[in-house]
Amino acid sequence: MCDHCRRRQLGSGTRCVGEGALTARDKVGVQDLVLLDAHKSEGAVLDNLKTRFSVDLIYTYIGTLLISVNPYKELDIYSKKHMDLYMGVNFYELPPHIYALADNAYQTMLTEANNHFILISGESGAGKTETTKKILQYYAVSCPSSALLDTVRDRMLMSNPVLEAFGNAKTLKNDNSSRFGKYMDIQFDSQGDAVGGHILSYLLEKSRVVHQNHGERNFHIFYQLVEGADEDLLRQLGLERDTEYYNYLAQGECTSMKTINDKNDWQTVKNALTVIHFDDSDIEHLFGIIASVLHLGNIYFDRDFKGFAVLNSSPELRWVSKVLTKALSYRKIEAKAEEVLCPFTVDHAIYARDALAKAIYGRTFTWVVNHINESLENQDPARKTVIGLLDIYGFEVFYVNSFEQFCINYCNEKLQQLFIQLTLKAEQEEYEAEGIEWEPVQFFNNKIICDLVDEKHRGIISVLDEECMRPGDSTDLTFLEKLEEKMGHHPHFVTHRLANKKTRKTLERGDFRLLHYAGEVTYCVVGFIDKNNDLLYRHIKEVMQQSKNSIVQQCFLPDEGDGRRRPETVATQFRSSLQELTEILMAKEAWYVRCLKSNDNKNSGKFDDALVKHQVKYLGLMEHLRVRRAGFAYRRRYEDFLKRYKPLCPHTWPHWRGVPSEGVEKLVQHLGYQPDEYKMGRTKIFIRYARTLFATEDAYEICKHELGAGLVAFTLRGTLVNLHLICFCFYLLFYRFIKGYITRGQAKTTDNSEYLAFVRQSYLMRLRDNLPKTVLDKNTWLSPPPVMTEASEILRRLHLRWMVRKYVRGLTPQRKAQLQIKVVTSAIFKGKKDSYPQSVAMPFMDTRISKCYHLYPNIIIYSVPVVKYDRNGFKPRPRQLLLTQAAVHLAEEAKLKQSISYAALKGDSQRHGVPATQCTCWVPRHFSTHHTTSIFISLWPFHLGL
């Protein structure tokens, strides 16, 4: 049973095989390989894939695992129409599609509020990158939309061309091969809105910067810059518009490609950088770094009379600083308290140059990924759920396999181990949840190979690290000797010296061979030590720290260390990052996409059986199929099974009124299911054999046609018999309606009661669609018919009260306080101020208050003008009454006249030493809505002396 069907309960319920998967099986194979007869072999799987591929059905399921066969042509199955078709539909409701998997992962995430990931794997050129794009595009269209969310989604989508430009390259197998691993989290809020994202990158193939095999290219961005940049930018960067001119670009002898338009891609990348929020300065410095790598590659070294390296008079030198020029020719060695400059040999100088180029590009790539993450970062601290997309390099086998292929294939071993663990775990959990005994599944456990590579102190990585750090002359061949010494008896490891006579003929003396779960791969040890060390001389780092390029400054930080502590090797870093990735994935629900190449030549319509068979093997599809069919090929909720097949049993047709599981038991007994063919779980029926299900489906198809024919015959007979009765009833209804209309103005009678009911209903329906939207809307309310006058008025008042209540509840505390001040101001000034009508729309502020505001800035709670009357003559004098946190004050303009603390107010004015005969200040008694109301009321009886 698929994880999705175990978890999700949407719509009418889950189902493990849709009607399409059953009824279409004879035409284009089966949509779910689980439904193939259990006894059929790997050949049946291939035949099914080939049959579907021949009619452009490139997607097939194994449970919830999706197989995608690359057609090497455009198919009209990715339009907005197709996206809408798959939105919110149960997984097996429609034919297999990448949109079905993406949508169900999304819907399950919303339903259960948990995290998911989609693992996209396959050989280089199988379509992993394109599949990732399709998923991102689907979420961009199907998720809720707003201006802010559109910005986030635009940045997610536009991160792809930037990462492809800096991390993808043409290889022998793929014109747009990802030369790094990518894991991207898409973050969703509780409403399902995409609100952020984060990208992790793994093992960029930096060696490609300085060397490419014949028929391959460097990273796309180099060619895009040279071919697409305008003349002014090229002049500023000191570049020629000729990719053949640059050593780092021309080694593969295929700088231009018919399938790649570098000029157009350059415009796409420039636009994407702007969308992702790279500013002009960042873009300028970024292109400057790319140009500097090209200039470095064109620096050549000659030998002086002592055999040491000296820079030739290359025109590229004018683009390289004098300090860096010196750093590429000499090495700084610390000897006690002094530094000694030791000249390089030509080989050492070339190594230093290439190491610098790789370091600059690799660190810049990391900076680009970090900058993209900053632009995608979600600032809302509320809990988020995520869907992760893991687009990882596929298993690689070339004519010559080096350190990079060793790391990539080790990664695939770890993911295969995780894949089997998660699949077995999910299957076993469902069996336990349904109370069905779990039957162990036989499969190849590749833990023995993973341990061979990464076991601490004993694995190949540990031996390689020891050899890299060993003092003395360690070489690739001494590393191979150590492997032979420690791995000599391992069943999955062999070298030329350890092999038998037959195998020895296929191995060079500098090779070792590993028997992976996907098959044998031979690795050449040449370059393992250097690539694993990936060292950059400390004095060159110090030079780079002085760069004026802001990106380089961030990539080579001064606090990077004094160089005395040896950094971790590349293999060790990669092993640690894979361990962290495994922990991330283990905490999420898994979905899988397995991408297959249909042929090696990228020809549309061609299906290479041998190639596809090899991929089916090393992607572990047969193991996954065996796990999914561990005893039961099909399982379905009782309600769904009964709803579909109830016509096959007289006890369940047309309605079953009892418990669904009992109805299913009656149904399968009537169909003659044998005890070994099915099991009854707690919520589902489990059917062991696909043939049992197909027999049931065939019986249903026959029954459906018979039921349909009987229904048609019955309907025709009923129509002929009742036609005159229908006409007569229609006549009566029409007559009563007309008579009701004529007598509509009279008192309610039998003749007009139904017509008046129709009038009421019609008015209420029209009123429902035309209600006023605001309190101030006085004209929208529909005029009622006479019979609804009283009811209409009651409804109008109720609706008005509802809108007022809704408005009041929507007020923020700040807005509410402002309105309360307006109410008080209105009571104070109404009828006393000429400009009152024009000022009530503004928050109240007396200009006289502002003059004394500086007496108690930031602590005045309230201020109001009052009047003082002289004792002799009762001459009025304006004053300001100020209320602070601790006291009440009287002020004239900006001059403080008197203060009384609240603590001293305990009785009438006589108790405070204020003579009752003195003149008083009048305080407005009607102030009652502000939070200081109680203070005003307590002050009212007192005579405040001045």
Side-chain angles (χ1 to χ4, degrees), residues 389-572:
L389 300 179
L390 180 58
D391 176 7
I392 206 74
Y393 5 63
F395 204 84
E396 290 191 347
V397 184
F398 296 129
Y399 181 74
V400 176
N401 301 289
S402 187
F403 177 77
E404 291 82 10
Q405 282 68 50
F406 170 77
C407 291
I408 287 171
N409 293 341
Y410 161 60
C411 173
N412 277 267
E413 286 285 357
K414 296 294 287 185
L415 291 178
Q416 173 68 6
Q417 186 181 34
L418 175 68
F419 171 62
I420 292 295
Q421 287 176 353
L422 292 177
T423 304
L424 285 172
K425 177 174 175 287
E427 194 74 6
Q428 185 171 359
E429 283 178 355
E430 186 188 16
Y431 276 63
E432 291 175 353
E434 291 294 324
I436 293 182
E437 184 178 354
W438 169 254
E439 300 180 11
V441 182
Q442 297 299 321
F443 67 96
F444 172 64
N445 188 344
N446 67 330
K447 183 178 184 297
I448 186 174
I449 305 174
C450 294
D451 290 344
L452 170 64
V453 176
D454 63 13
E455 188 175 11
K456 287 188 176 181
H457 310 302
R458 299 180 60 185
I460 294 175
I461 292 178
S462 294
V463 174
L464 178 59
D465 284 354
E466 289 174 7
E467 197 63 15
C468 287
M469 292 182 284
R470 181 174 64 85
D473 294 329
S474 58
T475 65
D476 296 319
L477 291 179
T478 61
F479 160 61
L480 183 60
E481 290 172 1
K482 287 290 179 65
L483 286 181
E484 291 173 334
E485 179 183 331
K486 292 195 174 184
M487 317 288 176
H489 302 290
H490 199 285
H492 291 265
F493 176 87
V494 67
T495 65
H496 182 276
R497 184 171 68 85
L498 298 174
N500 56 38
K501 287 185 178 181
K502 182 178 179 181
T503 305
R504 190 173 296 167
K505 295 178 181 179
T506 63
L507 282 169
E508 299 292 338
R509 296 185 182 277
D511 294 346
F512 69 92
R513 180 174 294 166
L514 298 183
L515 179 56
H516 290 281
Y517 77 93
E520 294 180 345
V521 182
T522 302
Y523 301 98
C524 175
V525 296
V526 175
F528 264 60
I529 296 291
D530 285 344
K531 291 177 180 179
N532 189 46
N533 273 325
D534 193 31
L535 295 177
L536 182 64
Y537 293 116
R538 182 164 57 90
H539 72 286
I540 296 181
K541 290 183 184 178
E542 293 172 352
V543 172
M544 299 309 296
Q545 290 167 4
Q546 302 171 24
S547 172
K548 296 180 180 179
N549 186 301
S550 63
I551 297 177
V552 175
Q553 291 174 0
Q554 296 173 59
C555 293
F556 293 87
L557 297 174
D559 59 354
E560 194 170 316
D562 59 6
R564 293 183 176 86
R565 182 179 178 181
R566 190 182 186 91
E568 282 190 331
T569 63
V570 172
T572 297

Side-chain angles (χ1 to χ4, degrees), residues 4 73 179 233 342 362 407 436 501 534 541 558 646 663 812 864:
H4 170 74
K73 64 180 179 180
R179 307 317 300 162
L233 180 57
C342 178
C407 291
I436 293 182
K501 287 185 178 181
D534 193 31
K541 290 183 184 178
K646 65 182 180 180
T812 63
V864 65

Side-chain angles (χ1 to χ4, degrees), residues 6 14 39-40 70 133 164 327 394 400 416 470 483 486 491 508 584 749 785 842 858-859 893 905 930:
R6 173 169 52 82
T14 59
H39 69 276
K40 289 191 176 180
N70 194 336
K133 290 180 185 177
E164 286 184 14
V400 176
Q416 173 68 6
R470 181 174 64 85
L483 286 181
K486 292 195 174 184
E508 299 292 338
I584 291 173
T749 64
M842 303 293 292
N858 302 324
I859 62 172
E893 295 294 337
L905 296 175
H930 196 271

